Amino acid sequence: MTSRFPVSARLFDSTAKRVPAGVSSNTRARAPHPIYFERADGAHVTDADGNRWIDILMGNGAILLGHNRPEVQDAVRAAAAAGLTTGIETAAACALAEKFLSIVTTMDMVRFTNTGTEAVLHALRLARFATGRKRIAKAEGSYHGWSDEAFISVWADLSRAGAVEAIQPLAGTPGQRGELVSETVVLPFNDIANSVAAIERHASDLAAVILEPILIDIGYIPATRAYLQALRAACDKLGIVLIFDELLTGFNVAPGGAQEIYGVIPDLATYGKALGNGYPIAALAGRKGLMEMLAPGKGPVFVGTFNGHAMSVAAAQASLAVLADGSVAAAIDRRLKGLKEAFHADAAELGFSAVMHGQGSHFQWYFTAEKVVGYRSAATSNASAYRAFVQSLFDQGLLVLTNPLSHHALSAAHGDDVIDRLKEAFRVALKAAEEALR
Ligand SMILES: Cc1ncc(COP(=O)(O)O)c(C=O)c1O
């Protein structure tokens, strides 16, 4: 069969012999072959066949300011021209730390890494050192990177996951260390009674409780304030380190992230994504008493050749300069609200059980009559309806993810003209989803 994307098909045929599935990250694999890209600008990307797509993936939610944002690109070019790359500390990284903490005012200190996975690993190790305990509790459906320690019970098989009173931790991938999986305590998101009971049951062994305060990697599911307050109170009472993974919420749902919205302050928090607008940088921030343990000779080792890389630091300085007052993210949120309203009006007209959740730049659709409050209710989203919906969006020139429990994103470059096109595309796709279920 000839492909709609002959150049991508040819690239795949030759590349797949050298690169497994022809991609560097499994989420980019696609049947019958991946699409390869050559250019990006604002809200659009152009593939190797010359097709121009509306991007609603935006670098897994990282590119909040849009592709090829001039302030960010100029800063990166200037940093490259200065000749510094990595392995020694820079004045720019000092300035970035100051800017970061002037925006995230709830945190005392910060260190930079390259990826969220690394930042989370440092947070967990620091928590184990500070408490002298080894086990970690995490929320079901919450994603914290691909490590053996944290990639547990994210997109779990519910037929094996047990009841919410005693959730069975499940490996995220073959090849994972079984003892790390079975040691993990999995909490039912937004279920105060069962989460607090599980924390209390394992308290003497628990170093940390970690969660995304808004589950975004499986769509968009906000915690209730009462839930976060209950976790905060339990951790305080039992001497456990509370960690918010703000990779997706940081600088996005509010300049100071979810903790600014909720008024619940964790002991440690991880950041990334919008921090560098597509350049590889992440951060671990936290309370002074804990973060000071990262100094040499005081506690766990925290090293990395590329930590505080000059180009990524430059990208982050430029990004935070734009994001600091919150007006850019608020404008994106206003456009997202318009999109959600149009989607809900169209769904109501069709009499179809579909909701669109989201805030800041992040959003996702669920095709279910159940109220989506955690992983288990999100998993009731009808997969056939979702597949028909995203296939229609794809056919209309939108970049989409095919897993019903994934997320999509806008950016500052998704202006009113693009939003109007999205409204129309969502309306057409809703009809396709509704027809798929008839
Ligand atoms: C909430 C959250 N935590 C951690 C990570 C891992 O970050 P990275 O892919 O930079 O390792 C991600 C990435 O998708 C994320 O969304």
Side-chain angles (χ1 to χ4, degrees):
M1 199 173 75
T2 52
S3 171
R4 264 177 67 193
F5 310 99
V7 178
S8 278
R10 274 200 305 279
L11 277 170
F12 176 68
D13 281 347
S14 56
T15 305
K17 297 183 190 94
R18 303 178 192 96
V19 178
V23 290
S24 294
S25 177
N26 281 7
T27 52
R28 300 173 201 166
R30 197 181 156 274
H33 60 77
I35 298 174
Y36 296 94
F37 293 90
E38 292 198 334
R39 272 206 68 80
D41 245 309
H44 295 91
V45 291
T46 305
D47 68 27
D49 285 277
N51 302 300
R52 193 164 179 260
W53 298 78
I54 298 181
D55 190 358
I56 53 169
L57 305 181
M58 298 312 291
N60 301 340
I63 306 170
L64 184 58
L65 299 178
H67 293 289
N68 212 4
R69 176 89 182 193
E71 299 94 315
V72 177
Q73 301 297 75
D74 289 348
V76 172
R77 270 191 288 271
L84 280 172
T85 55
T86 203
I88 43 179
E89 207 59 41
T90 61
C94 303
L96 176 62
E98 199 174 321
K99 184 73 177 171
F100 181 106
L101 295 171
S102 75
I103 299 172
V104 185
T105 53
T106 42
M107 299 280 105
D108 301 326
M109 298 180 90
V110 63
R111 273 255 179 119
F112 299 110
T113 67
N114 308 286
T115 67
T117 298
E118 290 167 64
V120 166
L121 283 171
H122 283 301
L124 298 180
R125 188 199 268 160
L126 179 56
R128 285 195 298 267
F129 172 77
T131 59
R133 304 170 185 166
K134 68 173 186 179
R135 295 177 72 173
I136 305 296
K138 73 168 294 285
E140 192 173 36
S142 198
Y143 180 68
H144 308 292
W146 49 262
S147 71
D148 278 9
E149 276 148 292
F151 191 24
I152 294 161
S153 296
V154 184
W155 291 278
D157 172 0
L158 283 174
S159 69
R160 296 192 297 128
V164 287
E165 290 78 15
I167 297 177
Q168 180 69 34
L170 294 175
T173 169
Q176 209 165 354
R177 282 183 61 197
E179 58 273 38
L180 287 176
V181 176
S182 58
E183 269 176 10
T184 302
V185 176
V186 181
L187 311 176
F189 190 75
N190 269 337
D191 176 338
I192 296 178
N194 283 310
S195 293
V196 171
I199 292 169
E200 284 177 344
R201 219 166 30 246
H202 300 285
S204 60
D205 273 348
L206 270 188
V209 169
I210 183 167
L211 76 164
E212 297 177 74
I214 303 170
L215 298 181
I216 299 185
D217 278 290
I218 59 164
Y220 192 94
I221 309 173
T224 62
R225 176 171 285 122
Y227 183 66
L228 296 182
Q229 285 170 337
L231 295 185
R232 178 68 279 178
C235 287
D236 283 342
K237 186 173 109 188
L238 301 164
I240 299 164
V241 176
L242 180 63
I243 307 168
F244 283 179
D245 184 340
E246 297 241 33
L247 258 284
L248 285 164
T249 46
F251 312 105
N252 193 318
V253 297
Q259 54 198 274
E260 179 180 326
I261 298 178
Y262 285 99
V264 178
I265 314 303
D267 301 298
L268 297 172
T270 50
Y271 299 83
K273 307 254 179 179
L275 175 59
N277 201 53
Y279 286 87
I281 184 164
L284 170 64
R287 283 200 280 115
K288 191 164 183 242
L290 282 171
M291 292 294 289
E292 277 181 338
M293 294 174 188
L294 297 174
K298 292 201 173 161
V301 160
F302 187 122
V303 295
T305 301
F306 297 115
N307 289 2
H309 191 281
M311 251 82 90
S312 297
V313 164
Q317 282 183 292
S319 302
L320 292 193
V322 179
L323 294 170
D325 71 2
S327 59
V328 171
I332 301 169
D333 186 52
R334 273 195 298 281
R335 293 204 170 106
L336 182 63
K337 278 205 178 77
L339 256 185
K340 284 196 295 184
E341 276 163 24
F343 179 88
H344 289 138
D346 291 337
E349 202 174 299
L350 286 170
F352 193 46
S353 291
V355 287
M356 182 172 157
H357 281 201
Q359 189 177 341
S361 75
H362 303 298
F363 65 92
Q364 181 65 354
W365 316 269
Y366 298 103
F367 296 94
T368 175
E370 261 196 50
K371 194 167 162 37
V372 175
V373 294
Y375 176 64
R376 293 177 185 225
S377 43
T380 65
S381 187
N382 187 298
S384 307
Y386 182 81
R387 262 197 307 277
F389 183 78
V390 293
Q391 183 62 49
S392 168
L393 294 182
F394 182 81
D395 292 340
Q396 296 178 75
L398 272 64
L399 285 188
V400 285
L401 292 173
T402 52
N403 177 355
L405 299 185
S406 55
H407 82 285
H408 292 82
L410 301 178
S411 78
H414 289 67
D416 290 333
D417 51 335
V418 178
I419 298 295
D420 286 345
R421 279 206 53 201
L422 292 180
K423 281 181 188 166
E424 175 60 17
F426 292 4
R427 200 175 58 75
V428 171
L430 258 176
K431 281 206 189 105
E434 196 254 349
E435 275 162 22
L437 292 193
R438 268 197 217 144

